Amino acid sequence: MALTAVGRQVLLRQKFSFLRSTLLSVDRRVVNTCQFDLYSSDSPCSSAIHIINEEKWPVTLRQAFERDCHVVLDFITDAEEATLCDEVAPRLKRLRYEQAHWDDAIHLYRETERSQWSPTATSIINRIKTRSFGSDAQHLSHVHVLDLHKDGLIKPHIDSSRYCGDVVSGVSLLSDSVMRLRHKDDEETLIVDLLLRRRSLYILSGVARYDFKHEILADAVSKFKEEWIPRDRRISIICRDLPKSVNASPTDKPLDFKNL
Ligand code: OGA
Ligand code: MN
């Protein structure tokens, strides 16, 4: 894939050089990233990141994955979630849920993008960016807003490097969900489940972004470590950086989309 139409549009606009986040500013609420769990548990990974068939993973791959994939619980407050929802709701309400995405990766969704936010929302978005990207990353000015219906799902895909840079990070609103990652060369063995609690932030970079397909499980199969995680309507606020300019084709045309 596989980026949504909005993502494609967004990513055609700017050029940049990228530095991956060093993630050195440790927020004490950040307990759900692999590296910080070194302090707290006997598991090398966090309680929101479940590596399946771990014994079959090459050690170097596991280490790289743990470096490149993060889930931050309670990244935003209830009030901040309400602020973001209120801000995107009017626009989303005017759109119909679509049955299938243009490349068939997403079912029952509606989406838009937004570059102008209220001051409160702007500070939330800036916090997502600060936490997810290096200080000299060139951010997309537009943030992708994806509204997944209760019965919707996102099938396995890798965001196209033509339209998306080295980091994909998203905050989940309204519903918990499970994001499954499968290694592109061994989809049946090298699997990771992320428990994306409502109001959490996930960050995919490096191998997690480029070597693993990601998907959001449908409600009927939404399980994390055998526990069913009910999936309701879920809105994700997704920040991306710009693709390497060498990946962008001069023939790419902006897509038709509607701003919030
Ligand atoms: C996408 C995607 C994940 C999410 O839009 O490409 O994978 O959190 N979204 O909604
Ligand atoms: Mn994606």
Side-chain angles (χ1 to χ4, degrees), residues 105-194:
I106 310 183
H107 287 265
L108 277 181
Y109 73 100
R110 47 192 184 184
E111 65 180 348
T112 187
E113 63 174 11
R114 186 167 182 138
S115 55
Q116 299 295 319
W117 299 83
S118 69
T120 312
T122 299
S123 73
I124 303 167
I125 302 288
N126 286 343
R127 237 174 56 228
I128 297 173
K129 291 178 175 174
T130 303
R131 179 66 183 81
S132 309
F133 299 85
S135 53
D136 66 346
Q138 294 208 12
H139 302 288
L140 292 167
S141 53
H142 290 67
V143 172
H144 180 192
V145 178
L146 182 64
D147 178 348
L148 198 60
H149 188 275
K150 178 184 182 345
D151 300 322
L153 75 151
I154 303 180
K155 292 185 186 174
H157 67 278
I158 295 175
D159 287 16
S160 167
S161 53
R162 215 164 148 204
Y163 308 114
C164 178
D166 291 353
V167 177
V168 179
S169 76
V171 164
S172 303
L173 313 178
L174 300 180
S175 175
D176 297 343
S177 62
V178 177
M179 178 179 276
R180 178 160 293 162
L181 293 102
R182 296 173 180 273
H183 195 283
K184 60 184 171 46
D185 300 327
D186 193 350
E187 295 188 25
E188 298 311 316
T189 310
L190 303 174
I191 303 169
V192 185
D193 283 346
L194 307 184

Side-chain angles (χ1 to χ4, degrees), residues 58 84 106 155 173 255 258 260:
L84 292 172
I106 310 183
K155 292 185 186 174
L173 313 178
L255 297 175
K258 304 164 196 79
L260 275 173

Side-chain angles (χ1 to χ4, degrees), residues 9-254:
Q9 165 69 25
V10 162
L11 287 157
L12 294 172
R13 293 208 175 107
Q14 305 163 38
K15 299 193 173 192
F16 73 110
S17 66
F18 170 76
L19 177 65
R20 206 174 71 78
S21 169
T22 52
L23 304 174
L24 289 178
S25 56
V26 180
D27 179 334
R28 287 315 300 164
R29 288 175 305 159
V30 178
V31 292
N32 265 356
T33 63
C34 296
Q35 67 207 72
F36 302 126
D37 263 10
L38 292 173
Y39 299 115
S40 60
S41 84
D42 51 3
S43 160
C45 211
S46 83
S47 55
I49 301 177
H50 177 44
I51 297 185
I52 294 162
N53 301 319
E54 194 171 347
E55 69 290 349
K56 297 187 179 151
W57 282 55
V59 173
T60 48
L61 178 64
R62 205 199 67 218
Q63 287 170 341
F65 188 89
E66 291 174 356
R67 183 194 61 213
D68 293 343
C69 178
H70 301 267
V71 178
V72 185
L73 261 190
D74 291 322
F75 187 75
I76 59 171
T77 64
D78 289 330
E80 289 172 330
E81 178 190 39
T83 296
L84 292 172
C85 283
D86 288 351
E87 222 154 295
V88 297
R91 173 67 195 143
L92 290 173
K93 238 189 260 176
R94 293 201 295 273
L95 303 171
R96 280 219 207 107
Y97 283 105
E98 315 243 353
Q99 285 295 329
H101 188 250
W102 59 275
D103 62 0
D104 205 35
I106 310 183
H107 287 265
L108 277 181
Y109 73 100
R110 47 192 184 184
E111 65 180 348
T112 187
E113 63 174 11
R114 186 167 182 138
S115 55
Q116 299 295 319
W117 299 83
S118 69
T120 312
T122 299
S123 73
I124 303 167
I125 302 288
N126 286 343
R127 237 174 56 228
I128 297 173
K129 291 178 175 174
T130 303
R131 179 66 183 81
S132 309
F133 299 85
S135 53
D136 66 346
Q138 294 208 12
H139 302 288
L140 292 167
S141 53
H142 290 67
V143 172
H144 180 192
V145 178
L146 182 64
D147 178 348
L148 198 60
H149 188 275
K150 178 184 182 345
D151 300 322
L153 75 151
I154 303 180
K155 292 185 186 174
H157 67 278
I158 295 175
D159 287 16
S160 167
S161 53
R162 215 164 148 204
Y163 308 114
C164 178
D166 291 353
V167 177
V168 179
S169 76
V171 164
S172 303
L173 313 178
L174 300 180
S175 175
D176 297 343
S177 62
V178 177
M179 178 179 276
R180 178 160 293 162
L181 293 102
R182 296 173 180 273
H183 195 283
K184 60 184 171 46
D185 300 327
D186 193 350
E187 295 188 25
E188 298 311 316
T189 310
L190 303 174
I191 303 169
V192 185
D193 283 346
L194 307 184
L195 177 57
L196 301 184
R197 290 289 185 202
R198 175 179 183 174
R199 296 184 285 98
S200 68
L201 170 75
Y202 69 84
I203 303 165
L204 306 179
S205 66
V207 296
R209 182 260 181 271
Y210 287 112
D211 293 346
F212 284 78
K213 297 182 177 180
H214 55 273
E215 63 188 296
I216 296 286
L217 301 182
D219 182 49
V221 293
S222 182
K223 276 190 170 182
F224 183 80
K225 295 182 186 169
E226 299 306 312
E227 182 193 348
W228 184 51
I229 308 296
R231 252 278 325 284
D232 213 320
R233 175 189 174 206
R234 169 183 181 268
I235 296 177
S236 45
I237 305 289
I238 306 165
C239 296
R240 297 181 174 91
D241 55 356
L242 285 157
K244 303 274 187 301
S245 53
V246 289
N247 293 322
S249 155
T251 58
D252 285 336
K253 297 261 189 334

